[in-house]
Amino acid sequence: MKIESIVLREIHMQLKSPFETSFGTVQDRRILLAEVIADGVSGWGEVTAGETPAYNSETTDTAWHVISDFMAPRLVGKTLARASDFPALMTQIRGHEMAKSGLENALWDVEARSKGVPLYKLLGGTLEEIACGVSLGIRENPQSLVKRVEQELRSGYQRIKLKIKPGKDVEYVAAVRKEFPSIRLSVDANSAYSLEDTAHLKKLDQFNLLMMEQPLSWDDIHGHSKLQAQIQTAICLDECIHNTRHALTAIELKACRIINIKLGRVSGHAEARTMQEACRQQNIPVWCGGMLESGVGRTHNIAMSTLPGFSLPGDVSASRRYWNEDIIEPEVEVTPHGTIRVPNTPGLGYQVRRDLVEKLTVRRNAWSARHAAS
Ligand code: OSB
Ligand code: MG
């Protein structure tokens, strides 16, 4: 694949309703889309960084900076045998996984389209239908949360995840569990607690949760190993795990029993694929996390979720839960039994709505091989 050009766009999209986590509330998303054109074929990737450095250290603006000033100039004009060669080109750039992922995943789409195969097959995926869960933001009171859960269950979703934070945890989980005694239920704290809260977190053991996601600090694998030894609920790590080495460290230290894989957090499909295989060999279930993505990021998540290690429902849900109008065609739809059928057409299997993307674009940067050294 000779990389002819790269286009980076920032688009603005408004979520249907505000989404609250322990680190803040978001409704107005600033999303970066990377489009890479090689041998006349175009592919798309999404940068899943947030607007603020609250989930991890990246933001929309840091990704704009490192892609524009370091990554795109390094990539344009190069010839790559395959998308999985991208990480080797970027070894001199530390961190910035979400920025890398946006570009790498666009290359995967290009490679799949050039070869005329669905992306999920190129990745080695085996499922034709994936299981879906939902992630529910923090609500003003337990009653409104229960109502929301009921709606999502009616839509068919197979697992409900509740965001929690100190002061909005046990009471909320208790209310949902009382109403729905046998559903697959989990919680996500996004690093809102410390080891001093161990006795408090132990109270959640009584609710038979599938998992408790990232209760402690975003970079504290050691602390999670101490906590896991003292609670029954399985810990799932999200923020802590940026690569397969982190995953193996966490597993060996018994810091978690489940891992959430997000393409952005782990720098793209190549690393995600290696990580899910390493976890599978250690009998650690993985599932696909979400970052309130537009259709581009969402469809990459769908392709990844077909890999054999993904044995639990992911936070991959329908476009219409997030957006009045998504930027892909068709939009992502969920079946009444809470699954997404994976398209068998080349690449992502969904078309990007260029007209709509143009309308939503607030800034744009482009690189072309003609002006670059190769
Ligand atoms: O921790 O999984 C998380 C959204 C933004 C930042 C972090 C997280 C989330 C979600 C939403 O849980 C998942 C989704 O529906 O996209
Ligand atoms: Mg999480």
Side-chain angles (χ1 to χ4, degrees), residues 129-371:
E129 198 166 351
I130 62 162
C132 309
V134 288
S135 172
L136 299 183
I138 296 168
R139 309 288 293 203
E140 53 287 3
N141 57 58
Q143 293 70 29
S144 81
L145 181 62
V146 168
K147 266 204 200 120
R148 201 49 208 278
V149 170
E150 192 186 354
Q151 264 175 31
E152 304 291 0
L153 291 171
R154 245 189 280 124
S155 303
Y157 288 103
Q158 300 187 16
R159 186 229 61 212
I160 305 287
K161 160 171 139 183
L162 312 175
K163 291 288 189 180
I164 57 167
K165 67 177 184 183
K168 296 206 159 193
D169 45 25
V170 176
E171 198 195 344
Y172 284 69
V173 179
V176 172
R177 191 40 112 196
K178 180 157 178 271
E179 201 66 28
F180 309 103
S182 58
I183 60 167
R184 288 209 268 187
L185 187 63
S186 66
V187 292
D188 185 357
N190 289 111
S191 303
Y193 299 88
S194 72
L195 268 181
E196 271 122 66
D197 299 312
T198 301
H200 181 70
L201 292 171
K202 261 176 94 68
K203 292 183 196 157
L204 294 170
D205 279 345
Q206 64 185 298
F207 301 116
N208 186 28
L209 299 176
L210 188 58
M211 70 189 94
M212 179 192 299
E213 196 176 330
Q214 194 72 33
L216 307 180
S217 180
W218 65 277
D219 61 352
D220 190 6
I221 294 178
H222 180 245
H224 282 98
S225 81
K226 298 207 151 181
L227 179 63
Q228 183 67 92
Q230 298 175 74
I231 64 173
Q232 283 163 30
T233 308
I235 291 177
C236 168
L237 289 180
D238 172 351
E239 281 89 327
C240 279
I241 310 297
H242 291 211
N243 55 52
T244 306
R245 295 185 306 280
H246 291 167
L248 292 173
T249 303
I251 293 167
E252 194 164 322
L253 291 178
K254 297 188 163 43
C256 63
R257 296 190 202 128
I258 299 174
I259 289 178
N260 159 329
I261 301 184
K262 290 179 179 166
L263 279 166
R265 205 190 65 236
V266 309
S267 82
H269 280 300
E271 187 66 22
R273 187 167 66 176
T274 307
M275 187 182 293
Q276 63 86 36
E277 179 56 23
C279 291
R280 203 171 65 88
Q281 284 178 14
Q282 308 250 7
N283 287 317
I284 295 291
V286 307
W287 54 280
C288 175
M291 291 296 293
L292 311 172
E293 287 95 342
S294 80
V296 170
R298 192 165 302 284
T299 50
H300 276 288
N301 288 345
I302 293 170
M304 175 177 80
S305 303
T306 65
L307 289 161
F310 286 78
S311 54
L312 291 170
D315 282 345
V316 190
S317 39
S319 296
R320 67 158 173 271
R321 289 191 65 248
Y322 304 83
W323 317 110
N324 286 319
E325 197 177 20
D326 203 346
I327 57 170
I328 52 164
E329 226 163 30
E331 298 201 339
V332 173
E333 286 189 15
V334 168
T335 66
H337 49 284
T339 64
I340 293 172
R341 289 204 194 87
V342 187
N344 259 309
T345 45
L348 285 170
Y350 297 77
Q351 293 309 313
V352 174
R353 295 176 56 187
R354 285 181 178 278
D355 49 340
L356 183 56
V357 167
E358 284 311 324
K359 249 176 47 193
L360 301 173
T361 297
V362 298
R363 57 173 164 165
R364 188 180 193 283
N365 222 342
W367 297 263
S368 165
R370 274 173 295 133
H371 307 297

Side-chain angles (χ1 to χ4, degrees), residues 24-90:
T25 303
V26 61
Q27 182 160 22
D28 294 310
R29 299 264 14 248
R30 296 174 55 206
I31 294 171
L32 301 188
L33 296 178
E35 182 185 7
V36 175
I37 295 124
D39 308 329
V41 176
S42 140
W44 292 82
E46 175 167 339
V47 174
T48 60
E51 294 70 31
T52 66
Y55 164 80
N56 65 353
S57 62
E58 296 185 77
T59 69
T60 311
D61 289 314
T62 67
W64 183 273
H65 162 54
V66 296
I67 291 175
S68 296
D69 294 343
F70 304 104
M71 294 177 183
R74 204 176 276 257
L75 178 63
V76 74
K78 293 276 177 3
T79 299
L80 277 70
R82 48 189 82 80
S84 56
D85 292 344
F86 176 81
L89 267 185
M90 298 292 147

